[in-house]
Amino acid sequence: MNVDLHCHTYFSDGKQTPEFLIQRAVDNNISHLAITDHDCTDALDLAAEIATELVIVNGVEVSCLWDETEVHVLGLLVDRDNQQLSTLLRAQQLSRWQRMQAMDKKLEALGTQGLLAYIERLGCVACSRSHAADFLVENKLCKSRQKAFKSHLGKRGKLYVGANWVGLAGAIEAINAAGGVAVLAHPSRYPMNAKKLTRLVEAFKAHGGEGLEGTYANIDPATQKQLRELAQANDLYLSAGSDFHDSAAQWTDIGKFPPLDRQAHARAIWLHPRWQALYPGV
Ligand code: AMP
Ligand code: MN
Ligand code: MN
Ligand code: MN
């Protein structure tokens, strides 16, 4: 068993196709790959059809709001035909498009046209600020994606528009309704101190969340330990994933992240009864 339970395709803000991810995962000896696009599950059917050498685990990464902070919840093992989940994802996709329209208006007022046409040409299902960053770089309005987030797309940026995300409870409820396991994505990457993170994890558990990501690209051992202890204190499983978006980005590759340590293995997500029911044996 060698898993990567967090990655993106061009159906959201990844750069590669499901075919590319699967080949890369096979090359990197992955046995179970969860594709977890932002607010859409459209890559999953195609992926399951073409994957012969590994298991495709259904997944999605839902953007949501908790205490005025944006947090991301992974839904693993979801039934993608579930009505409640598809309705939620459609609403999130619409919020993303409406936010892009509002950002386009702001950009036009600054003298640049074409953002919406650019996004439409990409053919993504869930558009994102990441795509807007590429547009700004390609049109030489910003020198890099990082700079685009700083000057234009981040909270204090010229084009910033908040998105109308679902609340944390609503996201977890829809994932559970679809038979999935809700996992709080990259808990150390939110703009909050340890005390607030503990509050977030407690709220996540109280609303029916079942896991935390316990390892991801570039995590340090102290953070891994902190997350394992949070999982222990709240009786949560631990998941593992690269958050791969782009093979040109040096810092991620499918399957490349520190392994869960021995103590964390005792609560690994693949021990969850719903995982074991689908993919028995470890
Ligand atoms: P959105 O979901 O539309 O809010 O867009 C956020 C996405 O943009 C994230 O999922 C990341 O892939 C990417 N992103 C966020 N912040 C940055 C940043 N500072 N630099 C580059 N990419 C970023
Ligand atoms: Mn992303
Ligand atoms: Mn995320
Ligand atoms: Mn992600």
Side-chain angles (χ1 to χ4, degrees):
M1 166 97 65
N2 201 8
V3 306
D4 188 334
L5 303 177
H6 188 161
C7 63
H8 299 272
T9 71
Y10 74 83
F11 285 88
S12 65
D13 64 349
K15 286 285 187 330
Q16 267 83 31
T17 60
E19 289 93 328
F20 179 98
L21 264 64
I22 288 166
Q23 189 54 51
R24 191 87 180 181
V26 168
D27 291 345
N28 289 349
N29 270 319
I30 297 298
S31 60
H32 295 72
L33 178 71
I35 296 182
T36 55
D37 275 315
H38 297 285
D39 296 314
C40 77
T41 55
D42 296 68
L44 293 170
D45 277 350
L46 172 66
E49 234 169 73
I50 58 183
T52 51
E53 294 172 71
L54 51 69
V55 174
I56 295 293
V57 175
N58 280 358
V60 64
E61 181 174 16
V62 181
S63 295
C64 50
L65 267 185
W66 173 76
D67 201 20
E68 288 165 39
T69 308
E70 181 181 310
V71 298
H72 292 177
V73 177
L74 297 171
L76 298 177
L77 308 172
V78 288
D79 167 11
R80 59 161 305 211
D81 296 327
N82 177 268
Q83 274 280 311
Q84 190 174 337
L85 182 63
S86 354
T87 302
L88 170 68
L89 298 183
R90 269 201 304 279
Q92 295 273 105
Q93 288 159 21
L94 182 62
S95 295
R96 286 176 173 278
W97 182 247
Q98 288 169 339
R99 178 180 57 165
M100 198 62 79
Q101 287 177 314
M103 294 198 304
D104 176 62
K105 281 222 170 71
K106 289 192 171 190
L107 190 57
E108 280 193 356
L110 295 172
T112 303
Q113 311 228 324
L115 174 62
L116 291 183
Y118 171 84
I119 301 287
E120 278 180 329
R121 274 199 305 278
L122 296 173
C124 54
V125 174
C127 65
S128 125
R129 285 180 300 160
S130 180
H131 299 121
D134 290 337
F135 178 83
L136 294 172
V137 173
E138 283 176 29
N139 285 277
K140 306 209 162 29
L141 290 159
C142 300
K143 286 218 165 99
S144 68
R145 287 164 48 83
Q146 276 306 332
K147 286 191 173 149
F149 270 90
K150 192 146 197 227
S151 59
H152 287 71
L153 303 168
K155 268 231 156 108
R156 282 186 215 90
K158 291 178 219 184
L159 305 182
Y160 183 75
V161 179
N164 187 23
W165 302 133
V166 63
L168 177 66
I172 297 170
E173 193 194 309
I175 289 165
N176 286 340
V181 177
V183 170
L184 184 65
H186 42 67
S188 67
R189 296 217 178 119
Y190 303 121
M192 58 181 73
N193 61 22
K195 198 167 160 203
K196 186 163 174 186
L197 180 58
T198 299
R199 249 197 333 115
L200 166 60
V201 172
E202 286 167 1
F204 178 78
K205 168 81 181 182
H207 289 307
E210 297 187 89
L212 304 181
E213 273 195 311
T215 179
Y216 27 94
N218 286 337
I219 195 169
D220 59 73
T223 305
Q224 266 188 281
K225 179 166 178 279
Q226 178 199 7
L227 297 178
R228 170 167 47 75
E229 287 169 356
L230 269 174
Q232 282 163 340
N234 292 278
D235 195 21
L236 293 163
Y237 288 90
L238 286 162
S239 187
S242 61
D243 205 0
F244 175 85
H245 282 77
D246 178 4
S247 63
Q250 299 291 311
W251 61 282
T252 55
D253 189 5
I254 300 277
K256 298 300 174 202
F257 45 83
L260 287 178
D261 63 33
R262 267 193 43 215
Q263 282 164 285
H265 256 105
R267 44 181 70 249
I269 196 83
W270 49 87
L271 302 175
H272 191 292
R274 253 171 283 154
W275 179 295
Q276 286 292 322
L278 281 167
Y279 315 117
V282 180

